[in-house]
Amino acid sequence: MEHTVKAFEEDITRLRGLIAEMGGLAELSVQEALEAIVNGDEELGQRVITRDKEIDALEMEIDRLAVRTIALRAPMADDLREVIAALKIAGVVERIGDYAKNIAKRVNRIEGRRRFEPLAMIPEMGEVAVEMVHDVLTAYAARDPLLAKEVIARDARVDAFYDSIFRNVVTHMVENPATIGSAAQLLFIARNIERVGDHATNVAEMVHFAATGVYPPDRDASGN
Amino acid sequence: MEHTVKAFEEDITRLRGLIAEMGGLAELSVQEALEAIVNGDEELGQRVITRDKEIDALEMEIDRLAVRTIALRAPMADDLREVIAALKIAGVVERIGDYAKNIAKRVNRIEGRRRFEPLAMIPEMGEVAVEMVHDVLTAYAARDPLLAKEVIARDARVDAFYDSIFRNVVTHMVENPATIGSAAQLLFIARNIERVGDHATNVAEMVHFAATGVYPPDRDASGN
């Protein structure tokens, strides 16, 4: 029995390590995708696109290990909840990687970069979303439900940024019809950042659940 | 061995039944939440809020059964992929239920309903999102990767609706400053519908994966 407990601890440590690695790559990808957009750096954008395969492979590795852990160690209660959370979190982090890739693909679709003011709003919005991803991974590593709740609360800021960018870009479109194509790209990018924030919130709920056995009481506040 | 195969088939049939039940409730909740908003029906809104607990309970039941199936039947390859997909899909459907609840909570925050034109845009957008949820559940039940891909493609329509509603509501705000509070509620509702579409897309990817072993090639198109 003690052998099984030790084996389970090893599995769960490895699972947590893989989630940290996967999450770290997703966070880096969101950050670099936005850098690539702001600087028109196609090479960096390409790196983000390539990295998505690594993220997908990590999800599969996490799935495999989680299944093996359930099958061989037969964890109960809290331990089982932790393995299930790892499976679900990996699914959501994979999606955050998708949004980064989607942003990166738009690098060469923005023209006249230097005179395109709405672009200036993206980094600050992106920073909040990237921080959410970063902090939710910290909350996961530290099993910290309070930090998880704090991440959930921050989603409203990303939403407010999105609304503000949307209004600004639409105004810019009206005043500069020639740049409508590039401006539309910016709306897609802002929407992808918003979704990163939404999915970080989703992970935060799972972290809270894994740490406490209950979902945060203000769970649906994230839709605000 | 044949006994195990039969037991696995029974488990997976039950898992699929639970997902169908959970998904059906989530679909109904989104639909009724929008009805409640449009008609100012607080009682119906309350029913949606109450139903969310049922949806959450179903997720836990699916988690438990999936874990039991992995532990007792030790499924391999395609079978295992199917159980993992059930776990992940349940996590996403639970979130769709959250968005419905979040919409339902806003029923009594919209004033002057009869003279509030932007409200008229919500049902059509909602219909597309509800249909996406409905069809992705059909695709899951029928293991139909083509229908899953079709659902993914439809997310762009929900996004276009959101953009259009956003622009209209902002214009309405400028012209009718007295109704800004109610108009803001509408933006939150439209955003929640958009997220329902995004999460239906997420489920569609998992359905495609469960049915074929690969994610749809245009996976990231959903972020468009």
Side-chain angles (χ1 to χ4, degrees):
Chain A
M1 193 59 195
E2 201 170 315
H3 179 70
T4 308
V5 171
K6 186 153 176 290
F8 176 78
E9 285 302 326
E10 279 170 17
D11 282 355
I12 204 76
T13 303
R14 172 112 184 87
L15 261 182
R16 298 180 75 87
L18 285 169
I19 297 259
E21 186 184 347
M22 186 187 181
L25 289 184
E27 182 192 339
L28 183 64
S29 278
V30 176
Q31 194 168 18
E32 288 189 349
L34 293 171
E35 247 177 77
I37 288 290
V38 171
N39 303 325
D41 186 339
E42 291 191 31
E43 213 180 289
L44 187 58
Q46 198 50 53
R47 270 215 298 286
V48 171
I49 292 167
T50 308
R51 189 183 296 125
D52 195 48
K53 289 201 205 323
E54 262 181 85
I55 295 176
D56 290 356
L58 277 166
E59 183 190 12
M60 298 213 190
E61 198 178 337
I62 289 165
D63 286 0
R64 268 196 305 269
L65 178 55
V67 162
R68 215 182 63 119
T69 304
I70 294 171
L72 296 185
R73 320 295 178 211
M76 305 283 286
D78 291 8
D79 290 343
L80 181 54
R81 204 166 61 217
E82 171 121 27
V83 179
I84 300 285
L87 268 172
K88 295 198 177 185
I89 289 172
V92 182
V93 171
E94 185 281 331
R95 192 117 176 112
I96 292 177
D98 279 354
Y99 296 128
K101 180 165 94 170
N102 197 282
I103 293 170
K105 282 190 173 174
R106 297 176 188 279
V107 172
N108 58 12
R109 297 191 209 160
I110 296 182
E111 286 160 19
R113 197 169 301 275
R114 289 202 188 160
R115 284 155 300 123
F116 196 56
E117 312 102 30
L119 203 54
M121 293 177 276
I122 291 291
E124 203 181 346
M125 178 186 188
E127 207 175 293
V128 180
V130 169
E131 257 177 40
M132 284 175 73
V133 175
H134 181 87
D135 288 352
V136 82
L137 293 168
T138 306
Y140 174 73
R143 308 177 198 217
D144 182 345
L146 288 181
L147 182 55
K149 277 170 86 170
E150 214 242 276
V151 170
I152 294 171
R154 240 179 288 162
D155 194 36
R157 279 185 59 204
V158 175
D159 291 354
F161 263 116
Y162 178 74
D163 292 351
S164 163
I165 288 177
F166 193 103
R167 276 193 301 268
N168 274 289
V169 169
V170 169
T171 309
H172 189 271
M173 281 172 159
V174 173
E175 290 166 1
N176 308 274
T179 65
I180 280 183
S182 297
Q185 294 299 322
L186 218 65
L187 289 185
F188 293 137
I189 291 164
R191 194 199 304 280
N192 277 310
I193 301 174
E194 191 209 16
R195 284 169 171 182
V196 168
D198 192 37
H199 281 69
T201 302
N202 200 344
V203 174
E205 291 184 355
M206 291 165 179
V207 168
H208 193 281
F209 180 75
T212 64
V214 292
Y215 284 104
D218 49 349
R219 186 173 193 183
D220 51 71
S222 56
N224 265 358
Chain B
M1 195 58 196
E2 202 170 315
H3 179 71
T4 308
V5 171
K6 188 154 175 289
F8 175 78
E9 284 303 326
E10 279 170 18
D11 282 355
I12 205 77
T13 303
R14 173 113 184 85
L15 262 182
R16 297 181 75 88
L18 286 168
I19 297 260
E21 187 183 348
M22 186 187 182
L25 289 184
E27 182 191 340
L28 183 65
S29 278
V30 176
Q31 192 167 22
E32 288 189 351
L34 294 171
E35 247 177 76
I37 288 289
V38 172
N39 302 323
D41 186 340
E42 292 191 33
E43 213 179 289
L44 186 59
Q46 197 50 56
R47 269 214 299 287
V48 170
I49 292 167
T50 308
R51 188 182 297 126
D52 195 48
K53 289 202 203 325
E54 262 181 86
I55 295 175
D56 290 356
L58 278 166
E59 182 189 12
M60 298 213 191
E61 199 178 335
I62 289 164
D63 286 0
R64 268 197 304 271
L65 177 56
V67 162
R68 216 182 62 120
T69 304
I70 294 171
L72 295 185
R73 319 296 178 211
M76 305 284 284
D78 291 7
D79 290 343
L80 181 55
R81 203 166 62 216
E82 172 122 25
V83 179
I84 299 285
L87 267 172
K88 295 198 175 183
I89 289 172
V92 182
V93 172
E94 185 281 329
R95 193 116 176 114
I96 292 178
D98 279 355
Y99 295 128
K101 181 165 95 171
N102 197 281
I103 293 170
K105 284 189 170 174
R106 298 177 187 279
V107 172
N108 59 13
R109 295 190 209 161
I110 296 182
E111 286 160 19
R113 195 169 302 276
R114 291 205 186 156
R115 285 155 298 124
F116 195 55
E117 312 103 32
L119 203 53
M121 293 178 276
I122 292 290
E124 204 182 344
M125 178 185 187
E127 208 174 290
V128 180
V130 169
E131 258 178 39
M132 283 175 75
V133 175
H134 181 86
D135 288 353
V136 81
L137 292 168
T138 306
Y140 175 72
R143 308 177 198 216
D144 182 344
L146 288 181
L147 182 55
K149 277 170 86 169
E150 214 242 275
V151 169
I152 294 170
R154 241 181 286 161
D155 195 36
R157 279 185 60 202
V158 175
D159 290 354
F161 263 116
Y162 179 75
D163 292 350
S164 164
I165 288 177
F166 193 104
R167 275 194 301 268
N168 273 289
V169 169
V170 169
T171 308
H172 189 272
M173 281 172 158
V174 173
E175 291 166 359
N176 308 275
T179 65
I180 279 182
S182 296
Q185 294 299 320
L186 218 64
L187 288 186
F188 293 137
I189 291 164
R191 193 198 305 280
N192 277 309
I193 301 173
E194 191 209 17
R195 284 170 170 181
V196 168
D198 193 35
H199 282 69
T201 302
N202 199 345
V203 174
E205 291 183 355
M206 291 166 178
V207 169
H208 193 281
F209 180 74
T212 64
V214 291
Y215 283 104
D218 49 350
R219 187 173 193 183
D220 51 70
S222 56
N224 265 358

